[in-house]
């Protein structure tokens, strides 16, 4: 059950009517992922794993759990990867329609792109890089039962400068929405999960590009308010993470790992220890190693004389040899070998090799992609 603290309607509109349902889903999975470079130089940001599962999968699962099965996914340049990862949606109990966005021209542009798919249906738009711990079922139910033309979720956050914010009136109504405010006008951030009725399609064609050159969804919602439509807002107490940056990914990883239950399907030799809530996937091998949960070791990974500490997700087929790592995410097929210091707070991509080199001169030998960052001790 999602945790809704307060709900406030913006204004009564004579056209406000109960929805006929069912809701369709619109998941946004385009964009550049510039804040997660270099990982996203080659991969879609929505496929970066949280507890060894792409962040996008959580959105799809939560939509299906809310009874939303007819889902359109907006894709951009990374379309082939998204389609390869999600397929026709049957693995999620969903039916997926892929909608190619010509360019990343904004969230409201994505709604325009999806207009034919959406038809007259009310829908839930879920940003594919946003993570909510408790899902959206309660919010979806609330929207379907209400007469609102749109429903947004708000969360108090300390820094709103990179987000959309809502300004509420004394009576709690949404008065104004501002995208990425230069001076903080409110601490109520607009969460990347929105519910709309078909009225939104009257507003989107009237929008003009914002200073960053995008058609903003905040402007579209403002348009609904200005036209007298009913926009409800719910202040949520759920964990909400916009997983655009490394530390956000680590936080989402921590949140999910703290809910996992112990399951050991791999091989653990007698010299190894598995402590607490740890998932060891089939085919993973622990040789003279310790894993202290909460942590997950992906299928086919091998740990030799290694220590994996709390809040760490090791991807499939990784090789860890004589090293220590905690509070980190390692994507699949990477190797970490003979490292004398503990690795922590790190996000390591696919097929990465981190190893001690015997070669002289004794020096750091780095091959790093653009926008990489290395923290040395
Ligand atoms: C977008 C929206 C913003 C919202 C945020 C949530 O920002 O424009 O209003 O608060 O998602 O993740 P963007 O990711 O496009 O910077």
């Amino acid at each position: 059950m999602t945790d809704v603290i307060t709900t406030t309607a913006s204004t009564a509109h004579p056209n406000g009517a109960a929805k006929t349902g069912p809701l369709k889903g619109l998941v946004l999975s385009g964009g550049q992922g510039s804040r997660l470079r270099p990982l996203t130089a080659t991969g879609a940001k929505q496929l970066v794993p949280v507890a060894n599962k792409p962040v996008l999968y959580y959105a799809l699962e939560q939509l299906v759990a809310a009874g939303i099965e007819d889902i359109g996914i907006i894709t951009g340049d990374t379309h082939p990867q998204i389609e390869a990862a999600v397929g026709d949606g049957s693995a999620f109990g969903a039916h997926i329609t892929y909608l190619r966005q010509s360019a990343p021209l904004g969230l409201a542009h994505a709604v325009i792109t999806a207009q034919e798919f959406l038809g007259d249906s009310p829908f839930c738009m879920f940003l594919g890089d946003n993570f909510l711990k408790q899902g959206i079922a309660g919010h979806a139910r609330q929207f379907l039962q209400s007469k609102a033309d749109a429903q947004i979720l708000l969360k108090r956050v300390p820094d709103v400068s990179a987000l959309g914010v809502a300004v509420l009136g004394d009576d709690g109504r949404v008065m104004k929405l501002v995208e990425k405010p230069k001076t903080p006008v409110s601490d109520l951030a607009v969460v990347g999960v929105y519910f709309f009725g078909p009225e939104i399609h009257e507003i989107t064609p009237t929008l003009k590009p914002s200073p960053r050159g995008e058609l903003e969804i905040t402007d579209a919602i403002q348009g609904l308010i200005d036209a007298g439509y009913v926009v409800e807002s719910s202040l949520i107490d759920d964990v909400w993470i916009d997983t655009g940056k490394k530390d956000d990914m680590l936080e989402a990883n921590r949140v999910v790992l703290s809910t996992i239950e112990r399951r050991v399907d791999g091989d653990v030799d007698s010299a190894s220890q598995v402590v607490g809530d740890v998932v060891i996937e089939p085919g993973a091998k622990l040789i003279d190693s310790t894993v202290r949960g909460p942590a997950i070791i992906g299928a086919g990974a091998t740990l030799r004389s290694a220590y994996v500490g709390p809040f760490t997700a090791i991807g499939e087929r990784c090789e860890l040899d004589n090293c220590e790592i905690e509070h980190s995410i390692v994507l699949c097929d990477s190797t970490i070998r003979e490292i004398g210091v503990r690795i922590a707070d790190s996000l390591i991509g696919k097929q990465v090799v981190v190893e001690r080199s015997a070669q002289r001169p004794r020096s750091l030998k780095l091959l790093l992609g653009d926008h990489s960052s290395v923290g040395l001790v």
Side-chain angles (χ1 to χ4, degrees):
M1 180 60 205
T2 38
D3 198 352
V4 179
I5 304 174
T6 56
T7 299
T8 317
S10 74
T11 177
H13 188 276
N15 296 338
K19 276 150 283 296
T20 46
L23 288 167
K24 285 187 176 178
L26 182 63
V27 176
L28 271 56
S29 205
Q32 314 275 0
S34 51
R35 291 171 298 166
L36 265 179
R37 285 181 193 147
L39 249 66
T40 48
T42 49
K45 63 175 170 175
Q46 299 83 4
L47 297 181
V48 177
V50 170
N52 283 3
K53 195 161 83 174
V55 65
L56 175 64
Y57 286 13
Y58 295 89
L60 296 172
E61 287 170 1
Q62 291 180 355
L63 284 165
V64 172
I68 303 169
E69 292 164 9
D70 193 1
I71 300 173
I73 300 188
I74 296 276
T75 59
D77 291 346
T78 56
H79 173 91
Q81 295 168 31
I82 302 289
E83 187 166 10
V86 177
D88 64 1
S90 49
F92 299 88
H95 177 263
I96 303 290
T97 303
Y98 290 96
L99 306 159
R100 290 292 294 259
Q101 192 179 15
S102 50
L105 296 174
L107 305 185
H109 181 264
V111 174
I112 296 172
T113 304
Q115 190 169 346
E116 203 182 312
F117 162 77
L118 294 166
D120 286 338
S121 296
F123 62 99
C124 172
M125 179 165 100
F126 202 135
L127 308 189
D129 59 352
N130 270 231
F131 174 85
L132 279 176
K133 185 180 180 191
Q134 299 175 51
I136 58 156
H139 300 298
R141 213 166 24 243
Q142 184 185 341
F143 181 60
L144 275 179
Q145 286 165 2
S146 78
K147 292 190 172 168
D149 301 300
Q151 181 179 317
I152 57 174
L153 311 184
L154 303 175
K155 168 94 182 165
R156 287 193 196 283
V157 301
D159 179 10
V160 292
S161 58
L163 298 163
V165 293
V167 179
L168 305 184
D170 292 343
D171 53 0
R173 288 194 291 129
V174 181
M175 305 286 292
K176 201 164 78 158
L177 290 150
V178 186
E179 188 61 38
K180 316 218 188 304
K182 289 205 172 62
T183 48
V185 286
S186 134
D187 63 349
L188 294 171
V190 180
V191 173
V193 176
Y194 315 76
F195 295 88
F196 294 111
E199 298 75 16
I200 191 74
H201 305 304
E202 292 170 23
I203 308 293
T204 49
T206 68
L207 298 174
K208 301 272 176 299
S210 65
R212 64 168 170 165
E214 297 192 3
L215 298 184
E216 304 289 350
I217 201 66
T218 38
D219 290 345
I221 301 164
Q222 183 73 53
L224 284 173
I225 295 170
D226 293 346
Y229 284 112
V230 180
V231 177
E232 288 192 347
S233 69
S234 298
L235 186 59
I236 63 161
D237 195 24
D238 193 3
V239 176
W240 166 53
I241 302 167
D242 176 353
T243 61
K245 290 184 281 194
K246 180 197 77 160
D247 288 344
D248 303 322
M249 294 303 307
L250 291 176
E251 190 185 343
N253 197 51
R254 201 163 58 228
V255 168
V256 176
L257 287 178
S258 58
T259 65
I260 63 167
E261 282 173 20
R262 185 181 172 92
R263 173 167 57 81
V264 178
D265 289 335
D267 295 341
V268 179
D269 77 357
S270 57
S272 294
Q273 266 190 309
V274 176
V275 186
D277 285 319
V278 173
V279 171
I280 311 269
E281 297 285 11
K285 280 198 192 89
L286 267 64
I287 304 154
D288 186 25
S289 293
T290 298
V291 180
R292 192 169 296 155
I296 181 165
I297 310 296
T302 304
L303 276 55
R304 249 181 232 98
S305 305
Y307 167 73
V308 173
F311 305 111
T312 305
I314 303 294
E316 295 177 5
R317 299 174 300 279
C318 283
E319 302 251 341
L320 270 57
D321 210 334
N322 202 8
C323 63
E324 301 192 4
I325 183 166
E326 66 185 12
H327 193 236
S328 293
I329 299 174
V330 184
L331 274 64
C332 60
D333 300 294
S334 288
T335 302
I336 305 174
R337 201 182 282 145
E338 310 287 342
I339 303 297
V341 288
R342 185 173 296 182
I343 297 170
D345 310 333
S346 296
L347 178 52
I348 296 175
K350 289 181 202 162
Q351 297 177 25
V352 170
V353 178
V354 184
E355 66 181 347
R356 182 164 297 277
S357 157
Q359 257 176 16
R360 297 276 168 181
R362 285 194 63 219
S363 57
L364 289 166
K365 300 178 178 64
L366 307 172
L367 173 60
L368 302 171
D370 298 352
H371 306 276
S372 292
S373 97
V374 177
L376 300 175
V377 285

Short mmCIF file of all heavy atoms in Angstrom, two decimals, residues 301-350:
data_model
loop_
_atom_site.label_atom_id
_atom_site.label_comp_id
_atom_site.label_asym_id
_atom_site.label_seq_id
_atom_site.Cartn_x
_atom_site.Cartn_y
_atom_site.Cartn_z
N ALA A 301 28.68 -15.97 -10.99
CA ALA A 301 29.81 -15.16 -10.47
C ALA A 301 30.72 -16.07 -9.64
O ALA A 301 30.26 -17.05 -9.04
CB ALA A 301 29.29 -14.01 -9.62
N THR A 302 32.01 -15.73 -9.61
CA THR A 302 32.95 -16.51 -8.80
C THR A 302 33.68 -15.58 -7.84
O THR A 302 34.24 -14.57 -8.24
CB THR A 302 34.00 -17.22 -9.70
OG1 THR A 302 33.29 -18.01 -10.64
CG2 THR A 302 34.92 -18.11 -8.88
N LEU A 303 33.66 -15.95 -6.55
CA LEU A 303 34.39 -15.18 -5.52
C LEU A 303 35.47 -16.08 -4.96
O LEU A 303 35.18 -17.18 -4.48
CB LEU A 303 33.44 -14.78 -4.38
CG LEU A 303 32.59 -13.53 -4.54
CD1 LEU A 303 31.74 -13.54 -5.77
CD2 LEU A 303 31.72 -13.34 -3.30
N ARG A 304 36.72 -15.61 -5.04
CA ARG A 304 37.85 -16.38 -4.47
C ARG A 304 38.56 -15.49 -3.47
O ARG A 304 39.00 -14.40 -3.84
CB ARG A 304 38.84 -16.73 -5.59
CG ARG A 304 38.89 -18.17 -5.91
CD ARG A 304 39.90 -18.52 -7.00
NE ARG A 304 39.21 -19.30 -8.03
CZ ARG A 304 38.74 -18.80 -9.16
NH1 ARG A 304 38.92 -17.54 -9.45
NH2 ARG A 304 38.11 -19.57 -10.00
N SER A 305 38.66 -15.93 -2.24
CA SER A 305 39.30 -15.12 -1.19
C SER A 305 38.81 -13.68 -1.26
O SER A 305 39.61 -12.74 -1.26
CB SER A 305 40.83 -15.16 -1.34
OG SER A 305 41.27 -16.50 -1.35
N ALA A 306 37.53 -13.54 -1.36
CA ALA A 306 36.95 -12.19 -1.50
C ALA A 306 36.02 -11.90 -0.34
O ALA A 306 35.49 -12.81 0.30
CB ALA A 306 36.19 -12.10 -2.82
N TYR A 307 35.83 -10.61 -0.08
CA TYR A 307 34.84 -10.17 0.90
C TYR A 307 33.86 -9.24 0.19
O TYR A 307 34.28 -8.25 -0.42
CB TYR A 307 35.53 -9.42 2.07
CG TYR A 307 34.55 -8.68 2.93
CD1 TYR A 307 33.70 -9.37 3.80
CD2 TYR A 307 34.45 -7.29 2.88
CE1 TYR A 307 32.78 -8.68 4.58
CE2 TYR A 307 33.53 -6.61 3.66
CZ TYR A 307 32.69 -7.31 4.52
OH TYR A 307 31.78 -6.64 5.28
N VAL A 308 32.58 -9.59 0.29
CA VAL A 308 31.54 -8.71 -0.24
C VAL A 308 30.70 -8.26 0.95
O VAL A 308 30.11 -9.09 1.65
CB VAL A 308 30.67 -9.42 -1.29
CG1 VAL A 308 29.49 -8.54 -1.71
CG2 VAL A 308 31.51 -9.79 -2.51
N GLY A 309 30.69 -6.96 1.18
CA GLY A 309 30.02 -6.43 2.36
C GLY A 309 28.62 -5.94 2.07
O GLY A 309 28.12 -6.05 0.93
N PRO A 310 27.94 -5.41 3.09
CA PRO A 310 26.54 -5.01 2.99
C PRO A 310 26.26 -4.03 1.84
O PRO A 310 27.10 -3.21 1.49
CB PRO A 310 26.27 -4.33 4.34
CG PRO A 310 27.28 -4.91 5.27
CD PRO A 310 28.49 -5.19 4.43
N PHE A 311 25.06 -4.15 1.31
CA PHE A 311 24.52 -3.25 0.28
C PHE A 311 25.34 -3.29 -1.00
O PHE A 311 25.64 -2.27 -1.61
CB PHE A 311 24.41 -1.82 0.83
CG PHE A 311 23.60 -1.75 2.08
CD1 PHE A 311 24.18 -1.45 3.30
CD2 PHE A 311 22.25 -2.06 2.04
CE1 PHE A 311 23.42 -1.43 4.46
CE2 PHE A 311 21.48 -2.04 3.20
CZ PHE A 311 22.07 -1.73 4.41
N THR A 312 25.68 -4.52 -1.38
CA THR A 312 26.46 -4.69 -2.61
C THR A 312 25.74 -5.67 -3.53
O THR A 312 25.21 -6.68 -3.09
CB THR A 312 27.86 -5.25 -2.26
OG1 THR A 312 28.45 -4.36 -1.32
CG2 THR A 312 28.75 -5.36 -3.49
N ALA A 313 25.72 -5.33 -4.82
CA ALA A 313 25.15 -6.21 -5.83
C ALA A 313 26.25 -6.55 -6.82
O ALA A 313 26.80 -5.65 -7.48
CB ALA A 313 23.98 -5.53 -6.53
N ILE A 314 26.58 -7.82 -6.91
CA ILE A 314 27.60 -8.28 -7.85
C ILE A 314 26.87 -8.93 -9.02
O ILE A 314 26.06 -9.85 -8.83
CB ILE A 314 28.55 -9.31 -7.17
CG1 ILE A 314 29.21 -8.71 -5.91
CG2 ILE A 314 29.59 -9.83 -8.16
CD1 ILE A 314 30.15 -7.56 -6.16
N GLY A 315 27.14 -8.46 -10.23
CA GLY A 315 26.42 -8.91 -11.42
C GLY A 315 26.79 -10.33 -11.84
O GLY A 315 27.73 -10.94 -11.32
N GLU A 316 26.04 -10.81 -12.81
CA GLU A 316 26.26 -12.17 -13.33
C GLU A 316 27.67 -12.32 -13.89
O GLU A 316 28.21 -11.41 -14.50
CB GLU A 316 25.25 -12.46 -14.45
CG GLU A 316 23.82 -12.50 -13.95
CD GLU A 316 22.82 -12.72 -15.07
OE1 GLU A 316 23.24 -12.95 -16.23
OE2 GLU A 316 21.62 -12.65 -14.78
N ARG A 317 28.22 -13.48 -13.67
CA ARG A 317 29.52 -13.90 -14.24
C ARG A 317 30.70 -13.00 -13.85
O ARG A 317 31.72 -13.00 -14.54
CB ARG A 317 29.43 -14.01 -15.78
CG ARG A 317 28.43 -15.03 -16.27
CD ARG A 317 28.30 -14.98 -17.77
NE ARG A 317 27.86 -13.67 -18.24
CZ ARG A 317 26.59 -13.25 -18.25
NH1 ARG A 317 25.62 -14.06 -17.87
NH2 ARG A 317 26.29 -12.04 -18.64
N CYS A 318 30.57 -12.22 -12.78
CA CYS A 318 31.72 -11.43 -12.33
C CYS A 318 32.75 -12.36 -11.68
O CYS A 318 32.40 -13.43 -11.19
CB CYS A 318 31.28 -10.38 -11.31
SG CYS A 318 30.46 -8.97 -12.06
N GLU A 319 34.02 -11.93 -11.69
CA GLU A 319 35.08 -12.70 -11.00
C GLU A 319 35.71 -11.78 -9.97
O GLU A 319 36.27 -10.73 -10.32
CB GLU A 319 36.16 -13.08 -12.01
CG GLU A 319 35.66 -13.89 -13.17
CD GLU A 319 36.13 -15.33 -13.10
OE1 GLU A 319 37.12 -15.59 -12.36
OE2 GLU A 319 35.51 -16.18 -13.77
N LEU A 320 35.63 -12.16 -8.72
CA LEU A 320 36.27 -11.38 -7.65
C LEU A 320 37.33 -12.25 -7.02
O LEU A 320 37.05 -13.35 -6.55
CB LEU A 320 35.24 -10.98 -6.58
CG LEU A 320 34.50 -9.67 -6.77
CD1 LEU A 320 33.75 -9.60 -8.07
CD2 LEU A 320 33.54 -9.43 -5.61
N ASP A 321 38.54 -11.74 -7.01
CA ASP A 321 39.66 -12.55 -6.56
C ASP A 321 40.50 -11.74 -5.58
O ASP A 321 41.01 -10.68 -5.96
CB ASP A 321 40.50 -12.88 -7.81
CG ASP A 321 41.19 -14.20 -7.67
OD1 ASP A 321 41.43 -14.60 -6.53
OD2 ASP A 321 41.49 -14.81 -8.72
N ASN A 322 40.61 -12.20 -4.35
CA ASN A 322 41.46 -11.53 -3.37
C ASN A 322 41.20 -10.02 -3.32
O ASN A 322 42.10 -9.21 -3.57
CB ASN A 322 42.93 -11.83 -3.70
CG ASN A 322 43.81 -11.63 -2.47
OD1 ASN A 322 43.30 -11.43 -1.36
ND2 ASN A 322 45.10 -11.66 -2.67
N CYS A 323 39.97 -9.67 -3.02
CA CYS A 323 39.60 -8.25 -2.95
C CYS A 323 38.45 -8.07 -1.97
O CYS A 323 37.85 -9.06 -1.54
CB CYS A 323 39.21 -7.73 -4.33
SG CYS A 323 37.77 -8.55 -5.00
N GLU A 324 38.18 -6.83 -1.60
CA GLU A 324 37.08 -6.53 -0.69
C GLU A 324 36.24 -5.41 -1.29
O GLU A 324 36.79 -4.43 -1.81
CB GLU A 324 37.63 -6.08 0.68
CG GLU A 324 38.51 -7.12 1.33
CD GLU A 324 38.81 -6.79 2.78
OE1 GLU A 324 38.26 -5.78 3.29
OE2 GLU A 324 39.57 -7.55 3.39
N ILE A 325 34.93 -5.57 -1.18
CA ILE A 325 34.05 -4.54 -1.77
C ILE A 325 32.77 -4.44 -0.94
O ILE A 325 32.26 -5.46 -0.46
CB ILE A 325 33.74 -4.87 -3.25
CG1 ILE A 325 32.89 -3.76 -3.89
CG2 ILE A 325 33.10 -6.24 -3.44
CD1 ILE A 325 32.83 -3.83 -5.41
N GLU A 326 32.29 -3.22 -0.74
CA GLU A 326 31.00 -3.06 -0.06
C GLU A 326 30.30 -1.80 -0.57
O GLU A 326 30.92 -0.93 -1.17
CB GLU A 326 31.18 -3.01 1.46
CG GLU A 326 31.93 -1.80 1.94
CD GLU A 326 32.20 -1.85 3.44
OE1 GLU A 326 32.02 -2.90 4.08
OE2 GLU A 326 32.63 -0.81 3.96
N HIS A 327 29.00 -1.75 -0.30
CA HIS A 327 28.17 -0.62 -0.69
C HIS A 327 28.45 -0.20 -2.14
O HIS A 327 28.79 0.94 -2.43
CB HIS A 327 28.39 0.56 0.28
CG HIS A 327 27.36 1.62 0.14
ND1 HIS A 327 27.66 2.93 -0.12
CD2 HIS A 327 26.01 1.55 0.17
CE1 HIS A 327 26.54 3.62 -0.22
NE2 HIS A 327 25.53 2.81 -0.05
N SER A 328 28.33 -1.16 -3.02
CA SER A 328 28.69 -0.93 -4.42
C SER A 328 27.80 -1.75 -5.35
O SER A 328 27.15 -2.70 -4.93
CB SER A 328 30.14 -1.34 -4.67
OG SER A 328 31.02 -0.49 -3.97
N ILE A 329 27.81 -1.33 -6.62
CA ILE A 329 27.13 -2.10 -7.67
C ILE A 329 28.17 -2.46 -8.71
O ILE A 329 28.92 -1.59 -9.18
CB ILE A 329 26.02 -1.25 -8.35
CG1 ILE A 329 24.96 -0.83 -7.33
CG2 ILE A 329 25.40 -2.00 -9.51
CD1 ILE A 329 23.89 0.13 -7.90
N VAL A 330 28.25 -3.74 -9.05
CA VAL A 330 29.14 -4.16 -10.13
C VAL A 330 28.27 -4.83 -11.19
O VAL A 330 27.54 -5.78 -10.90
CB VAL A 330 30.20 -5.17 -9.62
CG1 VAL A 330 31.19 -5.51 -10.74
CG2 VAL A 330 30.96 -4.60 -8.41
N LEU A 331 28.34 -4.30 -12.42
CA LEU A 331 27.55 -4.88 -13.49
C LEU A 331 28.21 -6.17 -13.98
O LEU A 331 29.34 -6.49 -13.59
CB LEU A 331 27.37 -3.87 -14.63
CG LEU A 331 26.17 -2.91 -14.45
CD1 LEU A 331 26.34 -2.01 -13.26
CD2 LEU A 331 25.96 -2.06 -15.70
N CYS A 332 27.51 -6.87 -14.87
CA CYS A 332 27.91 -8.24 -15.21
C CYS A 332 29.27 -8.32 -15.92
O CYS A 332 29.74 -7.36 -16.52
CB CYS A 332 26.83 -8.89 -16.07
SG CYS A 332 26.51 -8.03 -17.60
N ASP A 333 29.88 -9.49 -15.82
CA ASP A 333 31.10 -9.85 -16.56
C ASP A 333 32.31 -8.99 -16.21
O ASP A 333 33.20 -8.81 -17.04
CB ASP A 333 30.85 -9.81 -18.08
CG ASP A 333 29.75 -10.77 -18.50
OD1 ASP A 333 29.96 -11.99 -18.36
OD2 ASP A 333 28.68 -10.31 -18.93
N SER A 334 32.35 -8.44 -15.01
CA SER A 334 33.52 -7.64 -14.61
C SER A 334 34.44 -8.46 -13.71
O SER A 334 34.01 -9.42 -13.08
CB SER A 334 33.07 -6.37 -13.90
OG SER A 334 32.51 -5.49 -14.84
N THR A 335 35.71 -8.03 -13.68
CA THR A 335 36.73 -8.74 -12.89
C THR A 335 37.39 -7.77 -11.93
O THR A 335 37.81 -6.68 -12.34
CB THR A 335 37.82 -9.30 -13.83
OG1 THR A 335 37.18 -10.16 -14.77
CG2 THR A 335 38.88 -10.08 -13.08
N ILE A 336 37.47 -8.15 -10.67
CA ILE A 336 38.20 -7.34 -9.68
C ILE A 336 39.19 -8.29 -9.01
O ILE A 336 38.79 -9.31 -8.44
CB ILE A 336 37.25 -6.72 -8.64
CG1 ILE A 336 36.16 -5.91 -9.34
CG2 ILE A 336 38.04 -5.84 -7.67
CD1 ILE A 336 35.08 -5.39 -8.41
N ARG A 337 40.48 -7.95 -9.08
CA ARG A 337 41.49 -8.94 -8.70
C ARG A 337 42.64 -8.30 -7.94
O ARG A 337 43.13 -7.24 -8.35
CB ARG A 337 42.03 -9.52 -10.02
CG ARG A 337 42.70 -10.85 -9.93
CD ARG A 337 43.21 -11.24 -11.31
NE ARG A 337 42.15 -11.74 -12.19
CZ ARG A 337 42.10 -11.53 -13.50
NH1 ARG A 337 43.00 -10.80 -14.11
NH2 ARG A 337 41.13 -12.05 -14.20
N GLU A 338 43.02 -8.89 -6.81
CA GLU A 338 44.24 -8.52 -6.09
C GLU A 338 44.29 -7.02 -5.78
O GLU A 338 45.28 -6.34 -6.05
CB GLU A 338 45.50 -8.87 -6.93
CG GLU A 338 45.56 -10.28 -7.47
CD GLU A 338 45.85 -11.32 -6.40
OE1 GLU A 338 46.33 -10.94 -5.31
OE2 GLU A 338 45.58 -12.50 -6.66
N ILE A 339 43.22 -6.51 -5.22
CA ILE A 339 43.21 -5.08 -4.87
C ILE A 339 43.44 -4.96 -3.36
O ILE A 339 42.70 -5.57 -2.57
CB ILE A 339 41.87 -4.43 -5.25
CG1 ILE A 339 41.59 -4.62 -6.75
CG2 ILE A 339 41.84 -2.96 -4.88
CD1 ILE A 339 42.58 -3.96 -7.66
N GLY A 340 44.43 -4.19 -2.98
CA GLY A 340 44.85 -4.12 -1.58
C GLY A 340 43.95 -3.28 -0.68
O GLY A 340 44.00 -3.41 0.54
N VAL A 341 43.13 -2.41 -1.26
CA VAL A 341 42.23 -1.59 -0.43
C VAL A 341 40.79 -1.98 -0.70
O VAL A 341 40.47 -2.48 -1.79
CB VAL A 341 42.39 -0.08 -0.73
CG1 VAL A 341 43.68 0.46 -0.20
CG2 VAL A 341 42.24 0.20 -2.21
N ARG A 342 39.95 -1.75 0.30
CA ARG A 342 38.54 -2.10 0.11
C ARG A 342 37.88 -1.11 -0.85
O ARG A 342 38.06 0.10 -0.74
CB ARG A 342 37.83 -2.09 1.46
CG ARG A 342 36.40 -2.57 1.36
CD ARG A 342 35.74 -2.71 2.73
NE ARG A 342 36.39 -3.71 3.54
CZ ARG A 342 35.99 -4.05 4.77
NH1 ARG A 342 34.95 -3.45 5.30
NH2 ARG A 342 36.62 -4.97 5.46
N ILE A 343 37.13 -1.64 -1.79
CA ILE A 343 36.37 -0.78 -2.71
C ILE A 343 35.02 -0.49 -2.05
O ILE A 343 34.39 -1.41 -1.52
CB ILE A 343 36.16 -1.50 -4.06
CG1 ILE A 343 37.51 -1.77 -4.74
CG2 ILE A 343 35.23 -0.72 -4.97
CD1 ILE A 343 37.43 -2.67 -5.96
N ALA A 344 34.61 0.74 -2.06
CA ALA A 344 33.31 1.10 -1.47
C ALA A 344 32.67 2.21 -2.29
O ALA A 344 33.34 2.90 -3.06
CB ALA A 344 33.48 1.55 -0.03
N ASP A 345 31.36 2.35 -2.14
CA ASP A 345 30.59 3.46 -2.76
C ASP A 345 30.86 3.56 -4.26
O ASP A 345 30.98 4.65 -4.81
CB ASP A 345 30.96 4.81 -2.11
CG ASP A 345 30.90 4.75 -0.59
OD1 ASP A 345 30.13 3.92 -0.07
OD2 ASP A 345 31.62 5.52 0.07
N SER A 346 30.97 2.42 -4.91
CA SER A 346 31.37 2.43 -6.33
C SER A 346 30.30 1.83 -7.23
O SER A 346 29.54 0.96 -6.82
CB SER A 346 32.67 1.63 -6.50
OG SER A 346 33.71 2.26 -5.78
N LEU A 347 30.29 2.33 -8.45
CA LEU A 347 29.42 1.79 -9.49
C LEU A 347 30.34 1.39 -10.63
O LEU A 347 31.01 2.25 -11.23
CB LEU A 347 28.43 2.89 -9.92
CG LEU A 347 27.44 2.59 -11.03
CD1 LEU A 347 26.67 1.32 -10.78
CD2 LEU A 347 26.46 3.76 -11.16
N ILE A 348 30.42 0.10 -10.89
CA ILE A 348 31.39 -0.43 -11.86
C ILE A 348 30.61 -1.07 -13.00
O ILE A 348 29.71 -1.87 -12.76
CB ILE A 348 32.33 -1.45 -11.16
CG1 ILE A 348 33.16 -0.71 -10.09
CG2 ILE A 348 33.23 -2.17 -12.16
CD1 ILE A 348 34.04 -1.61 -9.24
N GLY A 349 30.94 -0.70 -14.21
CA GLY A 349 30.16 -1.11 -15.39
C GLY A 349 30.38 -2.56 -15.79
O GLY A 349 30.93 -3.36 -15.03
N LYS A 350 29.94 -2.87 -17.02
CA LYS A 350 30.05 -4.23 -17.55
C LYS A 350 31.46 -4.49 -18.08
O LYS A 350 32.06 -3.59 -18.67
CB LYS A 350 29.12 -4.40 -18.75
CG LYS A 350 27.68 -4.44 -18.43
CD LYS A 350 26.91 -4.63 -19.73
CE LYS A 350 25.50 -4.13 -19.55
NZ LYS A 350 24.81 -3.88 -20.80
#
